[in-house]
C-alpha cells in the first residue's frame, strides 16, 4: 500500500473508476444483468432483491440518523457533570428486540414464499429438459422431444420448462441471469428447477460455480422462440446428419471417423462410427450460434482457430488435454487436415 501512502490522491482517483465498474455491473442492457428479467422466476428473484435492498436501506438510514443525532445532541460540553449511571432499561430492551423481529419477518416471509414458488413448477407435467454439466460445456436432452444437443438451449416462449440438473464431474451451477438461477449441479444428485421465457430472443447463460480452469468459458445460449419455430427446430434436430458429397467435406468426414479420432468423443447422429459421449454432440453443429460452449461466434475462422489451438480459446479443455492429435507429434493435424475437418463440420447443418 506504500503506493497510496505517498500518493493519497491516487486512491481518490480510483473512486470514479470503481463507481464505473459498480454501475456497469447493474446496467440492465448488459447481456448478463439480472436487472432486466424476462421470466417469472428471474422476476420474483429481482422483486425479492429490491424488497431486501429497501429494507436494508431503511435500517441503514434509521440507525445512522439516530446515531448522528445522539452524537451531536448529547455531546459532552465543557463543565458537564458525569452522566447519570444506569443499569438496564426494560422499555428500550423490548423495543430493540421487537423491532428487529418485525424487520426479519418482513424480509423472511417473502423470501420463503419465493423459495417455494421457484422450487415448485406450476406445470410439472409440461416440457422437460435434462441438463448435464461437463468441464466445460453443457448437454441438453429433451426426453419428450427425443432431442439431444449441446451448448444451446431452445425453449418455446411463454411455456413452463421443467429442468433437471446433473453433472458428470465436479460441481457446476446453472444460471440464465435474465430468466432464472442459480441452481447447483452436484455429483450424484439431481436438482430441479423450472424456467419460463416471456420474450423471444437469445439470452446468455453461464456456469456460476467455480469448476476449474475454464469456468469462465463455460457459457451457453438460451434461444427463446415461438412454438412454431421451436417445433421446426425439434424436427430438424431429429434428422440425422447428412453425409457430405463435396470432396473436401468428405475428406473431413474420413478424418473425423478415422485418423483424427474425433469419433471416439463426439456423437454425430446417423453415423455408426461417431458415438462418443465425452464431448459435445455435433450432429447439427452448423445450426448453432456459438462455438466452444458460448465463447466465440460460430464462423469458419473461429472453427479453424478452435481446431488449430483449442487451448488458446479454452485453457485446460479436455480435447486439447486428451486427443492424440494435440499430444502426439506424429498424429498432429496438418493445415489441409484442418481445412477438411472444418469443411465437414460446417456441413453439419
Ligand atoms: Cu462449470 Cu463453473
Amino acid at each position: 500500500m506504500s503506493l497510496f501512502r505517498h500518493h493519497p490522491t491516487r486512491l481518490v482517483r480510483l473512486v470514479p473508476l470503481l463507481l464505473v465498474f459498480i454501475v456497469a455491473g447493474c446496467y440492465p442492457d448488459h447481456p448478463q444483468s439480472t436487472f432486466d428479467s424476462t421470466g417469472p422466476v428471474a422476476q420474483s428473484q429481482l422483486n425479492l432483491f429490491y424488497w431486501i435492498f429497501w429494507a436494508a436501506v431503511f435500517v441503514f438510514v434509521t440507525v445512522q440518523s439516530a446515531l448522528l443525532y445522539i452524537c451531536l445532541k448529547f455531546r459532552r460540553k465543557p463543565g458537564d457533570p458525569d452522566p447519570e449511571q444506569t443499569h438496564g432499561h426494560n422499555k428500550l430492551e423490548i423495543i430493540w428486540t421487537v423491532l428487529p423481529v418485525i424487520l426479519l419477518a418482513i424480509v423472511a416471509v417473502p423470501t420463503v414464499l419465493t423459495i417455494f414458488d421457484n422450487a415448485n413448477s406450476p406445470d410439472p407435467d409440461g416440457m422437460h429438459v435434462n441438463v448435464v454439466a461437463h468441464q466445460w460445456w453443457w448437454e441438453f436432452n429433451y426426453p419428450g422431444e427425443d432431442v439431444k444437443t449441446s451448448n444451446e438451449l431452445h425453449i418455446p416462449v411463454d411455456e413452463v420448462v421443467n429442468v433437471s440438473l446433473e453433472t458428470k464431474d465436479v460441481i457446476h451451477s446453472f444460471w440464465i441471469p435474465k430468466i432464472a438461477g442459480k441452481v447447483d449441479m452436484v455429483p450424484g444428485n439431481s436438482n430441479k428447477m423450472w424456467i419460463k421465457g416471456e420474450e423471444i430472443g437469445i439470452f446468455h447463460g453461464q456456469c456460476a460455480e467455480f469448476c476449474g480452469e475454464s469456468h469462465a468459458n463455460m457459457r451457453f445460449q438460451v434461444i427463446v422462440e415461438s412454438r412454431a419455430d421451436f417445433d421446426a427446430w425439434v424436427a430438424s434436430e431429429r434428422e440425422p446428419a447428412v453425409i457430405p458429397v463435396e470432396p473436401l467435406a468428405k475428406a473431413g468426414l474420413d478424418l473425423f471417423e478415422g485418423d483424427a479420432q474425433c469419433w471416439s468423443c463426439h456423437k454425430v447422429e446417423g453415423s455408426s462410427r461417431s458415438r462418443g459421449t465425452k464431448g459435445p454432440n455435433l450432429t447439427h453443429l452448423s445450426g448453432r450460434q456459438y462455438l466452444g460452449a458460448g465463447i466465440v461466434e460460430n464462423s469458419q475462422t473461429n472453427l479453424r482457430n478452435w481446431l488449430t489451438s483449442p487451448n488458446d480459446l479454452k485453457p485446460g479443455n479436455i480435447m486439447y488435454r486428451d486427443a492424440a492429435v494435440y499430444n502426439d507429434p506424429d498424429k498432429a493435424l496438418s493445415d489441409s487436415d484442418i481445412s477438411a475437418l472444418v469443411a465437414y463440420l460446417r456441413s453439419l447443418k
Side-chain angles (χ1 to χ4, degrees), residues 133-138 167 169-174 185 206-219:
H134 301 252
Q135 280 173 317
W136 292 278
W137 60 280
W138 307 85
T167 168
D169 37 55
V170 299
I171 301 178
H172 304 268
S173 183
F174 185 78
M185 318 173 82
Q206 166 78 54
C207 176
E209 181 72 52
F210 182 71
C211 54
E213 207 175 345
S214 268
H215 155 69
N217 294 321
M218 186 168 169
R219 301 180 216 160

Side-chain angles (χ1 to χ4, degrees), residues 213-285:
E213 207 175 345
S214 268
H215 155 69
N217 294 321
M218 186 168 169
R219 301 180 216 160
F220 61 102
Q221 268 64 43
V222 182
I223 292 111
V224 183
E225 55 200 354
S226 67
R227 210 348 129 166
D229 286 350
F230 177 76
D231 288 342
W233 175 79
V234 166
S236 74
E237 283 292 306
R238 273 197 199 147
E239 294 292 319
V242 176
I243 294 166
V245 285
E246 195 261 321
L248 190 60
K250 179 80 186 56
L253 168 63
D254 292 343
L255 262 174
F256 192 93
E257 296 191 343
D259 291 348
Q261 295 190 353
C262 315
W263 58 272
S264 65
C265 290
H266 294 284
K267 185 176 269 187
V268 178
E269 303 293 347
S271 158
S272 56
R273 184 105 167 117
S274 303
R275 312 299 297 163
T277 53
K278 221 171 154 187
N281 182 317
L282 300 176
T283 311
H284 299 287
L285 179 72

Side-chain angles (χ1 to χ4, degrees), residues 73-83:
K73 167 97 177 158
F74 301 105
R75 202 161 37 150
R76 183 164 199 185
K77 292 165 203 81
D80 275 359
D82 280 350

Side-chain angles (χ1 to χ4, degrees), residues 179-206:
I179 296 180
K182 322 156 174 169
V183 176
D184 275 4
M185 318 173 82
V186 183
N189 189 51
S190 177
N191 280 338
K192 304 241 172 309
M193 70 187 289
W194 64 277
I195 57 175
K196 186 175 174 186
E198 284 181 332
E199 195 186 310
I200 288 175
I202 299 175
F203 299 90
H204 292 251
Q206 166 78 54

